[in-house]
Amino acid sequence: MKQFKGRVIVPGTCTAEALVSRNGFNTLASYQMALMFGDKKVKCGDQNNPDIYKQSMIGKALCLPQTIGSTTGGMVLYTVCSVGKQPACMLFSMPIDSLAASGAILGDVWTEAKMPVVDMLGDEFLDYVKTGMTVTVGEDGVVSVD
């Protein structure tokens, strides 16, 4: 097991299976098809992200460097939380951008969703974590990877 310390954006705890994107995460492209067509597994629809394309994102520890793409990204994250299709947590190796942060915070404040968000975990975090590993998030921003 290895531990990483990051900055808490949305507090909470969880343990979940890792889903790792080494590329920037395009929030709109990733969730659009699942939201439009009611995909219960919430498979990633971003064909430009080979790490997670067609992989189920719901209930996973989504590990990524940063978000990219449309300015609708924050609203998409909020919407995903409002319909209960969010990942278990979002873990960023880099500092979170304002759009993703706003969507995650709105999801926390305005919905019943529980989706802890931690950023600034560092490049070593993203080098270490692999899809399928177990990730545990603590209230203090400590992320343990087994």
Side-chain angles (χ1 to χ4, degrees), residues 1-144:
M1 174 176 67
K2 193 160 179 136
Q3 293 187 324
F4 302 88
K5 174 75 168 124
R7 176 177 63 168
V8 175
I9 303 300
V10 175
T13 63
C14 75
T15 299
E17 180 181 336
L19 180 61
V20 181
S21 171
R22 304 212 185 288
N23 301 305
F25 181 77
N26 186 320
T27 309
L28 178 60
S30 296
Y31 281 106
Q32 184 175 12
M33 297 303 283
L35 291 172
M36 287 176 55
F37 298 109
D39 176 7
K40 290 182 170 67
K41 292 184 179 180
V42 190
K43 292 180 192 154
C44 177
D46 183 3
Q47 60 190 345
N48 293 317
N49 192 334
D51 294 334
I52 63 172
Y53 181 55
K54 293 189 177 180
Q55 299 294 314
S56 176
M57 298 181 290
I58 193 168
K60 300 292 175 95
L62 191 54
C63 306
L64 56 146
Q66 63 187 1
T67 58
I68 59 170
S70 172
T71 57
T72 62
M75 195 62 188
V76 171
L77 281 180
Y78 162 71
T79 301
V80 167
C81 290
S82 72
V83 296
K85 294 187 175 188
Q86 73 278 1
C89 60
M90 292 184 78
L91 305 172
F92 293 80
S93 63
M94 299 172 66
I96 193 171
D97 64 280
S98 59
L99 296 170
S102 64
I105 292 166
L106 289 175
D108 182 54
V109 173
W110 289 353
T111 75
E112 299 297 317
K114 298 299 173 215
M115 184 182 71
V117 178
V118 178
D119 76 343
M120 297 174 59
L121 288 162
D123 291 338
E124 187 182 355
F125 166 73
L126 211 54
D127 289 340
Y128 183 81
V129 67
K130 308 283 186 268
T131 293
M133 292 178 137
T134 301
V135 175
T136 301
V137 178
E139 286 277 350
D140 56 358
V142 172
V143 175
S144 302

